[in-house]
Amino acid sequence: CVVLGWDPSDTHTTNFWEQLASVELDGANSTIDSGTISAKKYLWFQVYCAGSTASNRCHIRMNSLSSGIYADRFSSDGGSDSTDVNSGSARISNNNNTSPKFVNGFMVNTSSNEKLGIAHEIGENSTGSGSAPQRTESVFKIATNTQATSLQIVNISGNWNTGSFIKVWGSN
């Protein structure tokens, strides 16, 4: 268990999290790639998808691996759980529309175990205050003992719009 908090008697000056990547799309693309990052035991990622050219959900891959090593469980807007297994990516968003989305997620990235992650997503749904945002909670695993040294956010049926980004932090 990792507990993050503030200790008033602590005198260190370093943050627990070290920023590993910050990448923003300057043109439409189906993948937002973190590029190479240091292998860290814990990863925190944030993704903003500034809309897309086709209705789609955010999926995550590590190290550009697209074989059937991913499994996920997700729930949208408080509904019942659904699962994907033996997939080429893990679903971290289920809002199937072209509206902007924001995802905040964490992943345990040890070399001796499968990767376990959790992600929370909020989607715009429709503009204006007359419609509530959409939400998705998802958990995922990546069945490999290889540590992640890059993360990709994939749009399977279209392109993410310019301004979409991924930020990744890590810690040991």
Side-chain angles (χ1 to χ4, degrees):
C1 179
V2 175
V3 178
L4 305 176
W6 180 65
D7 179 355
S9 63
D10 194 353
T11 58
H12 82 279
T13 58
T14 59
N15 191 343
F16 179 82
W17 295 108
E18 170 190 353
Q19 187 170 31
L20 305 176
S22 180
V23 177
E24 182 174 333
L25 292 182
D26 57 6
N29 200 314
S30 63
T31 302
I32 310 169
D33 194 327
S34 69
T36 302
I37 59 174
S38 300
K40 299 287 187 179
K41 185 174 180 180
Y42 305 104
L43 295 177
W44 168 27
F45 58 91
Q46 291 185 333
V47 178
Y48 175 69
C49 298
S52 61
T53 60
S55 293
N56 208 341
R57 304 160 180 103
C58 297
H59 288 243
I60 192 168
R61 288 185 180 141
M62 66 167 257
N63 302 345
S64 298
L65 298 172
S66 60
S67 58
I69 61 172
Y70 302 89
D72 59 66
R73 176 177 301 276
F74 61 94
S75 171
S76 297
D77 295 328
S80 30
D81 285 0
S82 298
T83 60
D84 295 315
V85 296
N86 299 318
S87 298
S89 57
R91 186 186 312 230
I92 57 172
S93 156
N94 194 45
N95 293 324
N96 193 18
N97 57 42
T98 59
S99 298
K101 303 161 181 29
F102 177 75
V103 179
N104 191 49
F106 296 91
M107 187 169 118
V108 176
N109 187 35
T110 58
S111 60
S112 58
N113 297 306
E114 293 181 339
K115 310 304 155 261
L116 298 176
I118 186 168
H120 296 275
E121 177 246 1
I122 181 170
E124 182 181 86
N125 192 5
S126 298
T127 58
S129 61
S131 64
Q134 295 175 306
R135 67 182 163 99
T136 302
E137 296 85 25
S138 67
V139 292
F140 61 92
K141 72 176 183 174
I142 307 170
T144 180
N145 291 344
T146 304
Q147 280 189 290
T149 54
S150 69
L151 296 177
Q152 295 77 40
I153 303 304
V154 182
N155 184 329
I156 294 171
S157 65
N159 286 325
W160 300 121
N161 290 338
T162 300
S164 299
F165 66 79
I166 184 171
K167 293 184 181 284
V168 182
W169 296 267
S171 183
N172 286 321

PDB file of all heavy atoms in Angstrom, residues 25 28-32 51-57 96 98 153-161:
ATOM      1  N   LEU A  25      -0.605  16.577 -29.157  1.00  0.00           N
ATOM      2  CA  LEU A  25      -0.724  16.423 -30.611  1.00  0.00           C
ATOM      3  C   LEU A  25      -0.788  17.789 -31.281  1.00  0.00           C
ATOM      4  O   LEU A  25      -1.558  18.652 -30.866  1.00  0.00           O
ATOM      5  CB  LEU A  25      -1.982  15.637 -30.971  1.00  0.00           C
ATOM      6  CG  LEU A  25      -2.035  14.160 -30.595  1.00  0.00           C
ATOM      7  CD1 LEU A  25      -3.351  13.545 -31.079  1.00  0.00           C
ATOM      8  CD2 LEU A  25      -0.847  13.407 -31.174  1.00  0.00           C
ATOM      9  N   ALA A  28      -4.065  15.971 -36.095  1.00  0.00           N
ATOM     10  CA  ALA A  28      -4.912  14.816 -35.808  1.00  0.00           C
ATOM     11  C   ALA A  28      -4.113  13.521 -35.946  1.00  0.00           C
ATOM     12  O   ALA A  28      -3.298  13.385 -36.851  1.00  0.00           O
ATOM     13  CB  ALA A  28      -6.104  14.808 -36.745  1.00  0.00           C
ATOM     14  N   ASN A  29      -4.331  12.588 -35.032  1.00  0.00           N
ATOM     15  CA  ASN A  29      -3.620  11.315 -35.058  1.00  0.00           C
ATOM     16  C   ASN A  29      -4.441  10.285 -34.290  1.00  0.00           C
ATOM     17  O   ASN A  29      -5.136  10.640 -33.340  1.00  0.00           O
ATOM     18  CB  ASN A  29      -2.232  11.467 -34.431  1.00  0.00           C
ATOM     19  CG  ASN A  29      -1.281  10.373 -34.849  1.00  0.00           C
ATOM     20  OD1 ASN A  29      -1.618   9.197 -34.842  1.00  0.00           O
ATOM     21  ND2 ASN A  29      -0.076  10.771 -35.195  1.00  0.00           N
ATOM     22  N   SER A  30      -4.352   9.024 -34.663  1.00  0.00           N
ATOM     23  CA  SER A  30      -5.092   7.966 -33.977  1.00  0.00           C
ATOM     24  C   SER A  30      -4.406   7.514 -32.694  1.00  0.00           C
ATOM     25  O   SER A  30      -4.996   6.787 -31.902  1.00  0.00           O
ATOM     26  CB  SER A  30      -5.295   6.762 -34.900  1.00  0.00           C
ATOM     27  OG  SER A  30      -4.043   6.204 -35.244  1.00  0.00           O
ATOM     28  N   THR A  31      -3.149   7.949 -32.471  1.00  0.00           N
ATOM     29  CA  THR A  31      -2.398   7.544 -31.285  1.00  0.00           C
ATOM     30  C   THR A  31      -1.703   8.736 -30.656  1.00  0.00           C
ATOM     31  O   THR A  31      -1.098   9.544 -31.347  1.00  0.00           O
ATOM     32  CB  THR A  31      -1.336   6.481 -31.656  1.00  0.00           C
ATOM     33  OG1 THR A  31      -1.985   5.365 -32.257  1.00  0.00           O
ATOM     34  CG2 THR A  31      -0.574   6.008 -30.432  1.00  0.00           C
ATOM     35  N   ILE A  32      -1.810   8.825 -29.330  1.00  0.00           N
ATOM     36  CA  ILE A  32      -1.012   9.781 -28.564  1.00  0.00           C
ATOM     37  C   ILE A  32       0.047   8.942 -27.868  1.00  0.00           C
ATOM     38  O   ILE A  32      -0.287   8.083 -27.047  1.00  0.00           O
ATOM     39  CB  ILE A  32      -1.850  10.540 -27.518  1.00  0.00           C
ATOM     40  CG1 ILE A  32      -3.117  11.132 -28.143  1.00  0.00           C
ATOM     41  CG2 ILE A  32      -1.004  11.618 -26.851  1.00  0.00           C
ATOM     42  CD1 ILE A  32      -4.108  11.664 -27.118  1.00  0.00           C
ATOM     43  N   GLY A  51     -11.588  15.740 -28.355  1.00  0.00           N
ATOM     44  CA  GLY A  51     -12.550  15.314 -29.355  1.00  0.00           C
ATOM     45  C   GLY A  51     -11.890  14.422 -30.387  1.00  0.00           C
ATOM     46  O   GLY A  51     -10.668  14.256 -30.404  1.00  0.00           O
ATOM     47  N   SER A  52     -12.705  13.814 -31.222  1.00  0.00           N
ATOM     48  CA  SER A  52     -12.177  12.889 -32.225  1.00  0.00           C
ATOM     49  C   SER A  52     -12.972  12.983 -33.510  1.00  0.00           C
ATOM     50  O   SER A  52     -14.073  13.529 -33.539  1.00  0.00           O
ATOM     51  CB  SER A  52     -12.192  11.451 -31.692  1.00  0.00           C
ATOM     52  OG  SER A  52     -13.519  11.051 -31.403  1.00  0.00           O
ATOM     53  N   THR A  53     -12.406  12.433 -34.570  1.00  0.00           N
ATOM     54  CA  THR A  53     -13.043  12.469 -35.884  1.00  0.00           C
ATOM     55  C   THR A  53     -14.075  11.371 -36.051  1.00  0.00           C
ATOM     56  O   THR A  53     -14.832  11.383 -37.002  1.00  0.00           O
ATOM     57  CB  THR A  53     -11.994  12.340 -37.004  1.00  0.00           C
ATOM     58  OG1 THR A  53     -11.305  11.089 -36.837  1.00  0.00           O
ATOM     59  CG2 THR A  53     -11.012  13.493 -36.969  1.00  0.00           C
ATOM     60  N   ALA A  54     -14.098  10.407 -35.148  1.00  0.00           N
ATOM     61  CA  ALA A  54     -15.088   9.324 -35.184  1.00  0.00           C
ATOM     62  C   ALA A  54     -15.418   8.952 -33.749  1.00  0.00           C
ATOM     63  O   ALA A  54     -14.585   9.068 -32.861  1.00  0.00           O
ATOM     64  CB  ALA A  54     -14.528   8.115 -35.936  1.00  0.00           C
ATOM     65  N   SER A  55     -16.651   8.525 -33.512  1.00  0.00           N
ATOM     66  CA  SER A  55     -17.028   8.104 -32.166  1.00  0.00           C
ATOM     67  C   SER A  55     -16.103   7.001 -31.697  1.00  0.00           C
ATOM     68  O   SER A  55     -15.915   6.004 -32.390  1.00  0.00           O
ATOM     69  CB  SER A  55     -18.471   7.602 -32.158  1.00  0.00           C
ATOM     70  OG  SER A  55     -19.351   8.658 -32.414  1.00  0.00           O
ATOM     71  N   ASN A  56     -15.509   7.204 -30.528  1.00  0.00           N
ATOM     72  CA  ASN A  56     -14.604   6.187 -30.019  1.00  0.00           C
ATOM     73  C   ASN A  56     -14.334   6.376 -28.551  1.00  0.00           C
ATOM     74  O   ASN A  56     -14.660   7.397 -27.971  1.00  0.00           O
ATOM     75  CB  ASN A  56     -13.279   6.183 -30.785  1.00  0.00           C
ATOM     76  CG  ASN A  56     -12.639   4.809 -30.779  1.00  0.00           C
ATOM     77  OD1 ASN A  56     -12.954   3.959 -29.952  1.00  0.00           O
ATOM     78  ND2 ASN A  56     -11.748   4.586 -31.695  1.00  0.00           N
ATOM     79  N   ARG A  57     -13.680   5.377 -28.006  1.00  0.00           N
ATOM     80  CA  ARG A  57     -13.286   5.356 -26.603  1.00  0.00           C
ATOM     81  C   ARG A  57     -11.767   5.391 -26.537  1.00  0.00           C
ATOM     82  O   ARG A  57     -11.099   4.984 -27.466  1.00  0.00           O
ATOM     83  CB  ARG A  57     -13.792   4.072 -25.960  1.00  0.00           C
ATOM     84  CG  ARG A  57     -15.274   3.870 -26.085  1.00  0.00           C
ATOM     85  CD  ARG A  57     -15.619   2.401 -25.871  1.00  0.00           C
ATOM     86  NE  ARG A  57     -17.037   2.191 -25.982  1.00  0.00           N
ATOM     87  CZ  ARG A  57     -17.620   1.656 -27.053  1.00  0.00           C
ATOM     88  NH1 ARG A  57     -16.921   1.280 -28.097  1.00  0.00           N
ATOM     89  NH2 ARG A  57     -18.917   1.489 -27.073  1.00  0.00           N
ATOM     90  N   ASN A  96     -18.692   6.676 -25.999  1.00  0.00           N
ATOM     91  CA  ASN A  96     -18.560   6.448 -27.431  1.00  0.00           C
ATOM     92  C   ASN A  96     -19.150   7.621 -28.216  1.00  0.00           C
ATOM     93  O   ASN A  96     -20.218   7.521 -28.800  1.00  0.00           O
ATOM     94  CB  ASN A  96     -19.257   5.136 -27.792  1.00  0.00           C
ATOM     95  CG  ASN A  96     -18.897   4.670 -29.174  1.00  0.00           C
ATOM     96  OD1 ASN A  96     -17.906   5.100 -29.746  1.00  0.00           O
ATOM     97  ND2 ASN A  96     -19.700   3.792 -29.721  1.00  0.00           N
ATOM     98  N   THR A  98     -17.846  11.788 -30.071  1.00  0.00           N
ATOM     99  CA  THR A  98     -16.711  12.596 -30.543  1.00  0.00           C
ATOM    100  C   THR A  98     -16.361  13.740 -29.592  1.00  0.00           C
ATOM    101  O   THR A  98     -15.474  14.524 -29.890  1.00  0.00           O
ATOM    102  CB  THR A  98     -17.014  13.166 -31.938  1.00  0.00           C
ATOM    103  OG1 THR A  98     -18.195  13.977 -31.852  1.00  0.00           O
ATOM    104  CG2 THR A  98     -17.219  12.060 -32.960  1.00  0.00           C
ATOM    105  N   ILE A 153      -2.111   6.071 -26.128  1.00  0.00           N
ATOM    106  CA  ILE A 153      -3.562   6.197 -26.038  1.00  0.00           C
ATOM    107  C   ILE A 153      -4.075   6.083 -27.468  1.00  0.00           C
ATOM    108  O   ILE A 153      -3.704   6.870 -28.339  1.00  0.00           O
ATOM    109  CB  ILE A 153      -3.979   7.542 -25.401  1.00  0.00           C
ATOM    110  CG1 ILE A 153      -3.332   7.690 -24.022  1.00  0.00           C
ATOM    111  CG2 ILE A 153      -5.501   7.643 -25.324  1.00  0.00           C
ATOM    112  CD1 ILE A 153      -3.610   6.559 -23.043  1.00  0.00           C
ATOM    113  N   VAL A 154      -4.924   5.085 -27.697  1.00  0.00           N
ATOM    114  CA  VAL A 154      -5.304   4.697 -29.048  1.00  0.00           C
ATOM    115  C   VAL A 154      -6.781   4.996 -29.301  1.00  0.00           C
ATOM    116  O   VAL A 154      -7.636   4.718 -28.464  1.00  0.00           O
ATOM    117  CB  VAL A 154      -5.032   3.188 -29.256  1.00  0.00           C
ATOM    118  CG1 VAL A 154      -5.365   2.759 -30.663  1.00  0.00           C
ATOM    119  CG2 VAL A 154      -3.594   2.859 -28.914  1.00  0.00           C
ATOM    120  N   ASN A 155      -7.062   5.550 -30.472  1.00  0.00           N
ATOM    121  CA  ASN A 155      -8.421   5.730 -30.984  1.00  0.00           C
ATOM    122  C   ASN A 155      -8.562   4.716 -32.114  1.00  0.00           C
ATOM    123  O   ASN A 155      -7.952   4.876 -33.173  1.00  0.00           O
ATOM    124  CB  ASN A 155      -8.609   7.161 -31.492  1.00  0.00           C
ATOM    125  CG  ASN A 155     -10.017   7.445 -31.939  1.00  0.00           C
ATOM    126  OD1 ASN A 155     -10.729   6.573 -32.408  1.00  0.00           O
ATOM    127  ND2 ASN A 155     -10.414   8.699 -31.804  1.00  0.00           N
ATOM    128  N   ILE A 156      -9.326   3.670 -31.915  1.00  0.00           N
ATOM    129  CA  ILE A 156      -9.357   2.539 -32.845  1.00  0.00           C
ATOM    130  C   ILE A 156     -10.063   2.872 -34.162  1.00  0.00           C
ATOM    131  O   ILE A 156      -9.739   2.311 -35.196  1.00  0.00           O
ATOM    132  CB  ILE A 156      -9.974   1.312 -32.152  1.00  0.00           C
ATOM    133  CG1 ILE A 156      -9.047   0.875 -31.029  1.00  0.00           C
ATOM    134  CG2 ILE A 156     -10.197   0.166 -33.122  1.00  0.00           C
ATOM    135  CD1 ILE A 156      -9.598  -0.162 -30.123  1.00  0.00           C
ATOM    136  N   SER A 157     -11.022   3.817 -34.164  1.00  0.00           N
ATOM    137  CA  SER A 157     -11.767   4.050 -35.402  1.00  0.00           C
ATOM    138  C   SER A 157     -11.633   5.457 -35.978  1.00  0.00           C
ATOM    139  O   SER A 157     -12.324   5.789 -36.923  1.00  0.00           O
ATOM    140  CB  SER A 157     -13.247   3.725 -35.185  1.00  0.00           C
ATOM    141  OG  SER A 157     -13.811   4.608 -34.254  1.00  0.00           O
ATOM    142  N   GLY A 158     -10.758   6.269 -35.435  1.00  0.00           N
ATOM    143  CA  GLY A 158     -10.607   7.622 -35.967  1.00  0.00           C
ATOM    144  C   GLY A 158      -9.346   8.271 -35.436  1.00  0.00           C
ATOM    145  O   GLY A 158      -8.429   7.585 -34.990  1.00  0.00           O
ATOM    146  N   ASN A 159      -9.292   9.583 -35.469  1.00  0.00           N
ATOM    147  CA  ASN A 159      -8.138  10.343 -34.985  1.00  0.00           C
ATOM    148  C   ASN A 159      -8.534  11.231 -33.821  1.00  0.00           C
ATOM    149  O   ASN A 159      -9.638  11.787 -33.804  1.00  0.00           O
ATOM    150  CB  ASN A 159      -7.572  11.234 -36.095  1.00  0.00           C
ATOM    151  CG  ASN A 159      -6.827  10.446 -37.137  1.00  0.00           C
ATOM    152  OD1 ASN A 159      -6.180   9.453 -36.831  1.00  0.00           O
ATOM    153  ND2 ASN A 159      -6.916  10.887 -38.381  1.00  0.00           N
ATOM    154  N   TRP A 160      -7.609  11.382 -32.859  1.00  0.00           N
ATOM    155  CA  TRP A 160      -7.779  12.385 -31.818  1.00  0.00           C
ATOM    156  C   TRP A 160      -7.491  13.741 -32.449  1.00  0.00           C
ATOM    157  O   TRP A 160      -6.640  13.867 -33.325  1.00  0.00           O
ATOM    158  CB  TRP A 160      -6.818  12.147 -30.659  1.00  0.00           C
ATOM    159  CG  TRP A 160      -6.991  10.811 -30.003  1.00  0.00           C
ATOM    160  CD1 TRP A 160      -6.050   9.835 -29.885  1.00  0.00           C
ATOM    161  CD2 TRP A 160      -8.168  10.295 -29.380  1.00  0.00           C
ATOM    162  NE1 TRP A 160      -6.562   8.753 -29.226  1.00  0.00           N
ATOM    163  CE2 TRP A 160      -7.870   9.007 -28.912  1.00  0.00           C
ATOM    164  CE3 TRP A 160      -9.451  10.797 -29.179  1.00  0.00           C
ATOM    165  CZ2 TRP A 160      -8.795   8.216 -28.254  1.00  0.00           C
ATOM    166  CZ3 TRP A 160     -10.382  10.011 -28.519  1.00  0.00           C
ATOM    167  CH2 TRP A 160     -10.048   8.744 -28.060  1.00  0.00           C
ATOM    168  N   ASN A 161      -8.175  14.775 -32.003  1.00  0.00           N
ATOM    169  CA  ASN A 161      -7.986  16.114 -32.549  1.00  0.00           C
ATOM    170  C   ASN A 161      -6.720  16.777 -31.999  1.00  0.00           C
ATOM    171  O   ASN A 161      -6.209  16.400 -30.949  1.00  0.00           O
ATOM    172  CB  ASN A 161      -9.205  16.995 -32.231  1.00  0.00           C
ATOM    173  CG  ASN A 161     -10.432  16.575 -33.018  1.00  0.00           C
ATOM    174  OD1 ASN A 161     -10.329  15.939 -34.058  1.00  0.00           O
ATOM    175  ND2 ASN A 161     -11.600  16.925 -32.522  1.00  0.00           N
TER     176      ASN A 161
END
